[in-house]
Amino acid sequence: MKVFFYPHSYLRDRQLDTIRRWPANEAINRELLQVRTGAQVSAVDATAPKLGRSWKQKLPLVNVKVRPKGTPRDAVVYVWGGIIATGDFIVDLDSPWALVGYNLLAMPIYRRFLKRVLLSDRCRQIRCMSEACRKSLRSLFGERVYQKASVHYPCIPQVVQSVDGLAQDGCRFLFVGTQFDIKGGVALLKAFQRVYERAPTATLDVVTHLPSQHVELASRCPGSRVHRAQFTREQIHEQFMRKADVLVLPSYVESFGMVVLEALAYGLGVIATDVYALGEMVIDGRNGSLIKPPISVWDDVMPSPYFYDLENIKAHIVKTDTSAFEDTLVSAMLRFAIDADWRASARRESVRLMKTRFDCRPQGILR
């Protein structure tokens, strides 16, 4: 059986990884790998006061793609976040709302139609990026769709096999996220100022597009360094993850959190918010701390009211009191900074979790 990967205009690294790992004897158009690099959020979009939405996201539409020209009749089209109008296809989802372009108001309109398509023989596989995504499918479409769906975590090769002998003086914290505001960057800087007062050997590297209104806050944060988000994934790994101890992702808007999985591959401890799929990668008290966010676009695996006004999420964040959240961040970071045994234990657990839960398995339709 042959697979044709739909040539979306926007493909991220983890999507290109899917093509890269697919058996060469099944994949028809692997040349996509030679003409694409993983797309990233631009500095302009990341620092804009509102999240951008296209006209397609504003209208209540279902994400239906026309079968690409030249696709062999017997080929299965692999599509991310949508369905194919004719012929067999595989759908890959970070959350079910991708099927309606993340326009939540469109889901009630098309839910019955989408359920029929997902349960049809034409839909060869429903591949979920996380168990959270699969649970969302059950909430929306019922048990039969849930049973048809399967979880396929992104494949990140395990780089660090052991953290023994990596102990260092101080704790090196790392934040990686192009969209500083919605990833909890402000709360993190405020928290780290207090951490540094108690643990002056701690450091914090921040890789982001820093909005101009937060430059002064960053400049007043000793022990921290802000780096413009202009690195490739490989450069992030080599220049930052190899040298870090703990990744901090206090995000309010997340469907998966690829940077956390990458951190596990490098044996880092993790502090993250309990948002959608993040709890599948961070086991509280074992490989890090999972903390409740003060604001989130998710209510467990279903959208919160903030998701319905996602365009204005930054304004909602500004209005939210994050003082208690910052206190929790300080406690979690201080524990890592002061307790070297906990730091080493959490890092060992990340290595173990990567090996047991996120081991890269063979791809392919028949597997």
Side-chain angles (χ1 to χ4, degrees):
M1 185 65 68
K2 300 298 183 181
V3 177
F4 186 95
F5 294 96
Y6 191 89
H8 296 269
S9 59
Y10 188 92
L11 288 174
R12 307 204 70 162
D13 283 319
R14 66 103 175 168
Q15 295 165 325
L16 294 174
D17 285 342
T18 298
I19 303 173
R20 189 173 290 113
R21 292 183 54 245
W22 207 274
N25 65 326
E26 292 181 6
I28 294 176
N29 56 333
R30 286 173 60 87
E31 65 273 9
L32 281 175
L33 297 172
Q34 293 153 7
V35 297
R36 300 290 188 94
T37 56
Q40 299 291 337
V41 178
S42 70
V44 172
D45 289 340
T47 57
K50 293 185 176 184
L51 297 189
R53 297 179 67 200
S54 69
W55 67 268
K56 292 181 180 179
Q57 293 172 310
K58 293 179 181 179
L59 295 176
L61 302 174
V62 66
N63 192 2
V64 178
K65 305 292 186 185
V66 175
R67 190 176 178 85
K69 287 184 178 180
T71 305
R73 287 187 178 182
D74 61 346
V76 176
V77 178
Y78 193 112
V79 60
W80 284 273
I83 59 177
I84 297 297
T86 57
D88 291 358
F89 68 95
I90 296 169
V91 58
D92 187 318
L93 299 169
D94 66 337
S95 86
W97 288 272
L99 295 168
V100 287
Y102 303 101
N103 182 338
L104 273 58
L105 297 177
M107 184 58 78
I109 300 172
Y110 298 106
R111 181 156 52 186
R112 289 185 179 180
F113 165 73
L114 287 169
K115 180 178 180 178
R116 286 198 303 270
V117 174
L118 293 174
L119 289 175
S120 70
D121 292 339
R122 287 202 308 114
C123 181
R124 298 290 295 273
Q125 286 185 10
I126 306 169
R127 297 168 67 94
C128 291
M129 195 174 177
S130 66
E131 185 60 36
C133 172
R134 189 168 176 240
K135 289 178 179 178
S136 294
L137 280 171
R138 179 164 56 188
S139 296
L140 284 170
F141 303 117
E143 190 65 23
R144 289 177 62 203
V145 173
Y146 174 78
Q147 292 299 332
K148 183 173 181 177
S150 55
V151 176
H152 296 262
Y153 289 118
C155 179
I156 299 292
Q158 184 151 18
V159 179
V160 172
Q161 303 294 329
S162 171
V163 296
D164 294 336
L166 296 181
Q168 305 235 351
D169 293 334
C171 183
R172 302 159 298 180
F173 294 101
L174 173 65
F175 169 93
V176 179
T178 54
Q179 302 190 76
F180 183 78
D181 293 294
I182 68 175
K183 304 293 182 178
V186 172
L188 172 60
L189 287 183
K190 289 180 178 179
F192 186 73
Q193 284 181 326
R194 295 161 57 188
V195 170
Y196 187 82
E197 291 173 0
R198 301 256 316 262
T201 59
T203 62
L204 170 65
D205 283 294
V206 176
V207 182
T208 192
H209 295 304
L210 186 68
S212 58
Q213 65 267 30
H214 303 312
V215 170
E216 183 180 354
L217 173 63
S219 67
R220 290 189 282 104
C221 190
S224 68
R225 294 162 294 195
V226 177
H227 311 266
R228 292 178 60 191
Q230 56 186 3
F231 304 95
T232 64
R233 179 173 63 172
E234 290 73 22
Q235 289 171 331
I236 292 287
H237 293 173
E238 290 299 316
Q239 297 183 35
F240 297 100
M241 288 200 173
R242 282 191 181 277
K243 302 174 184 178
D245 296 300
V246 181
L247 178 82
V248 189
L249 186 68
S251 181
Y252 315 131
V253 181
E254 210 71 55
S255 60
F256 186 79
M258 276 296 299
V259 69
V260 176
L261 188 58
E262 291 167 349
L264 298 191
Y266 280 83
L268 305 188
V270 183
I271 299 170
T273 43
D274 191 4
V275 175
Y276 209 61
L278 291 179
E280 297 171 44
M281 294 174 281
V282 185
I283 311 302
D284 188 54
R286 290 179 59 182
N287 72 321
S289 298
L290 195 66
I291 58 182
K292 183 179 179 180
I295 179 175
S296 172
V297 297
W298 296 103
D299 182 3
D300 192 18
V301 297
M302 295 298 285
S304 77
Y306 294 109
F307 207 147
Y308 285 86
D309 192 28
L310 187 59
E311 187 176 9
N312 296 303
I313 187 63
K314 293 183 181 181
H316 291 297
I317 292 170
V318 170
K319 296 175 184 177
T320 299
D321 181 1
T322 62
S323 55
F325 179 60
E326 292 161 28
D327 291 343
T328 306
L329 269 177
V330 170
S331 297
M333 295 177 76
L334 272 176
R335 186 184 181 192
F336 271 111
I338 294 172
D339 189 343
D341 289 340
W342 159 241
R343 188 161 68 239
S345 174
R347 296 194 65 180
R348 284 194 296 270
E349 281 297 308
S350 283
V351 172
R352 186 199 63 79
L353 185 62
M354 189 70 185
K355 289 179 178 178
T356 57
R357 179 174 292 182
F358 302 103
D359 178 43
C360 290
R361 290 178 170 79
Q363 299 276 3
I365 285 184
L366 303 179
R367 293 163 174 80

